[in-house]
Amino acid sequence: MMKDKEIQKLIKAEEKRQEKVINLIPSENYASKDVLTALGSIFDNKYAEGYPSARYYGGQTYTDKLETICQERALKLFKLKKDLWHANVQPLSGSPANLAVYLALVPKGGKVMGLPLSSGGHLTHGQKVSITGKVWEQLPIGLDLQTELIDYKKMEEDAIREKPLLIIVGFTAYPRFVDFKKCREIADACGAYLMVDMSHFAGLVAGGAYPSPFEYADVVTTTTHKTLRGPRSAIIFSRKDKKRDDKSISTLIDKAIFPGLQGGPHMGQIAAVAVTLKEADSPVFKKYAKQIVKNAKVLARELSRLGWRVVSGGTDSHLILVDTWMNGNGIPGKEAEARLEKAGIICNKNTIPGETRSPFDPSGIRLGSPAETTRGKKEKDFTEIARKIDKTLRSGQ
Ligand code: DSN
């Protein structure tokens, strides 16, 4: 029991809320007790500026061991060779991880090519409101509005003409596979580094349920709290043999994280990431990753059957986008989100490709299966969830 009753009460209340709701936010999950124990451990008391065996403070016997184990587990989970790949496990979260890669690889004002929010990308893929869009110039990757898939042909033409220095692929709201091989070809055609932000689908890659980007990318960033089911943190993987001005990009990325962007690493987070990586390196996690995708497919199929327009006609991953507005024949995303919350289903409103409304009140909602799959839900449960969503959205229409 905590002495601070006010905060203890809030923790208990949030625990109850999390237990009670159906959580369909695709970027959330329920970390294990072991992960939370490591996160809240005494490692949080320790300053460890620097990297293993090269720190700016004494007392690093166990922090050095911990960080090294975490790095080794990261490489092992994604089947990466130690002599080819490096893992930096210090980024505090996904946005600083991505920012560090930009700082390491692209001079200020240089062009970066990425998916804007309207194509399902992330703020840090060069969106104007993010520092990544203020310091660097974003060349947007668009979708084919018929198929609602990445328009690789236009992406290639734009890249060859505009010559971005870095191409970033990855998403927060794109339900399909990304063709990493094609992205590599485009990066080679214009001389860009290829970075994949696999934050959303890292757990699926670990479990063999989504294509791995490592064969094609120079850099892969990921958060650790989404499908990977760990604490809020991030990892940057980089190829040791890739260079910028004769320096290994891994060395440049390490320097960009510390001392470029961050001070002391959060060692409690690193302990929790290490636990996460071991948990994910198991047959039971592989089964979990595959079940996530099965459940998302059922959700998409059932909602379509019930008359809702699912963007791109379905999903290959853990997330789906539903066009609830349907050109005025349905309800706006904001109202859909609010109505579902009242019914105990948590999701978020989201823009859809070719959005005609506003980001604050867009045409759709984004749904995902990872959190409820962690709670043991299977296809039949997701069929029920789809029916509940349908009933709730139609009530009051
Ligand atoms: N906010 C996260 C998401 O919900 O996808 C991305 O950082």
Side-chain angles (χ1 to χ4, degrees):
M1 290 295 271
M2 287 168 63
K3 288 204 184 87
D4 186 333
K5 297 297 169 215
E6 196 178 1
I7 300 304
Q8 166 103 67
K9 219 169 128 188
L10 283 179
I11 293 172
K12 280 277 156 215
E14 175 60 13
E15 197 178 323
K16 272 207 177 130
R17 187 199 67 80
Q18 289 192 15
E19 268 168 26
K20 213 171 63 190
V21 298
I22 293 173
N23 184 2
L24 297 183
I25 294 181
S27 46
E28 290 185 7
N29 214 327
Y30 299 106
S32 71
K33 284 223 161 65
D34 282 4
V35 166
L36 296 180
T37 301
L39 184 63
S41 68
I42 38 72
F43 270 118
D44 197 52
N45 294 335
K46 187 70 193 114
Y47 250 123
E49 276 167 318
Y51 289 103
S53 307
R55 310 271 190 194
Y56 290 84
Y57 294 75
Q60 306 293 347
T61 311
Y62 304 111
T63 43
D64 275 5
K65 276 192 182 147
L66 174 66
E67 189 166 344
T68 305
I69 289 174
C70 190
Q71 289 174 304
E72 286 170 357
R73 287 184 181 181
L75 297 181
K76 180 170 177 281
L77 179 62
F78 294 102
K79 302 181 179 61
L80 304 176
K81 290 202 177 101
K82 230 176 160 175
D83 53 338
L84 259 192
W85 286 90
H86 172 66
N88 185 311
V89 295
Q90 293 195 4
L92 303 180
S93 205
S95 296
N98 287 350
L99 182 55
V101 179
Y102 282 64
L103 285 168
L105 302 187
V106 192
K108 284 185 209 119
K111 275 186 198 155
V112 297
M113 185 176 215
L115 280 97
L117 291 180
S118 57
S119 298
H122 186 251
L123 285 170
T124 57
H125 297 174
Q127 201 73 22
K128 262 275 169 255
V129 290
S130 150
I131 184 76
T132 59
K134 295 185 201 303
V135 176
W136 294 277
E137 185 188 337
Q138 190 203 39
L139 182 60
I141 299 173
L143 303 182
D144 172 336
L145 291 182
Q146 290 304 312
T147 59
E148 299 176 307
L149 304 178
I150 292 173
D151 185 345
Y152 293 102
K153 190 164 178 289
K154 177 146 190 334
M155 178 181 167
E156 183 164 29
E157 287 163 7
D158 290 350
I160 289 171
R161 190 185 60 250
E162 299 287 337
K163 302 211 174 349
L165 299 169
L166 175 68
I167 295 179
I168 302 140
V169 281
F171 54 76
T172 63
Y174 182 80
R176 296 301 192 170
F177 288 152
V178 172
D179 186 345
F180 297 124
K181 183 167 184 278
K182 182 72 197 161
C183 295
R184 175 77 260 167
E185 285 163 16
I186 296 173
D188 286 342
C190 67
Y193 296 107
L194 179 64
M195 164 181 156
V196 176
D197 178 350
M198 65 167 186
S199 295
H200 260 261
F201 52 93
L204 304 183
V205 173
Y210 195 92
S212 170
F214 287 100
E215 188 182 342
Y216 303 106
D218 302 308
V219 180
V220 176
T221 60
T222 186
T223 50
T224 51
H225 49 276
K226 297 185 174 91
T227 47
L228 204 50
R229 210 163 56 179
R232 308 191 81 86
S233 191
I235 305 174
I236 305 173
F237 297 92
S238 55
R239 283 199 58 133
K240 288 179 173 170
D241 57 336
K242 283 280 167 163
K243 301 221 151 68
R244 178 184 172 197
D245 299 337
D246 291 333
K247 290 199 182 92
S248 162
I249 62 170
S250 302
T251 308
L252 295 173
I253 288 169
D254 276 1
K255 282 193 176 146
I257 283 287
F258 176 83
L261 268 179
Q262 298 182 179
H266 295 185
M267 296 313 295
Q269 266 187 329
I270 291 177
V273 170
V275 173
T276 302
L277 295 166
K278 188 163 182 192
E279 286 181 354
D281 204 354
S282 65
V284 66
F285 191 87
K286 280 194 177 63
K287 219 169 145 196
Y288 164 65
K290 294 202 165 93
Q291 191 66 48
I292 289 178
V293 178
K294 283 184 198 163
N295 289 347
K297 281 183 189 283
V298 165
L299 186 60
R301 203 178 313 132
E302 191 63 10
L303 284 171
S304 296
R305 199 186 62 75
L306 292 166
W308 297 96
R309 195 182 81 76
V310 175
V311 167
S312 83
T315 182
D316 298 325
S317 65
H318 62 302
L319 74 84
I320 71 173
L321 272 181
V322 186
D323 174 0
T324 52
W325 178 237
M326 296 192 294
N327 283 323
N329 295 312
I331 61 168
K334 189 174 169 189
E335 195 182 330
E337 178 192 299
R339 241 189 241 183
L340 289 170
E341 179 152 5
K342 267 199 193 144
I345 297 175
I346 310 298
C347 70
N348 67 276
K349 60 181 180 281
N350 217 96
T351 55
I352 60 166
E355 182 60 66
T356 52
R357 297 173 59 86
S358 80
F360 299 106
D361 191 5
S363 301
I365 52 172
R366 186 181 68 151
L367 307 173
S369 57
E372 292 304 318
T373 306
T374 291
R375 297 166 119 184
K377 293 208 170 73
K378 296 244 164 57
E379 289 94 323
K380 67 172 179 6
D381 305 300
F382 273 82
T383 305
E384 280 310 309
I385 291 173
R387 290 181 189 160
K388 188 166 178 188
I389 291 173
D390 175 62
K391 201 167 155 209
T392 307
L393 294 184
R394 289 191 195 281
S395 64
Q397 254 192 295

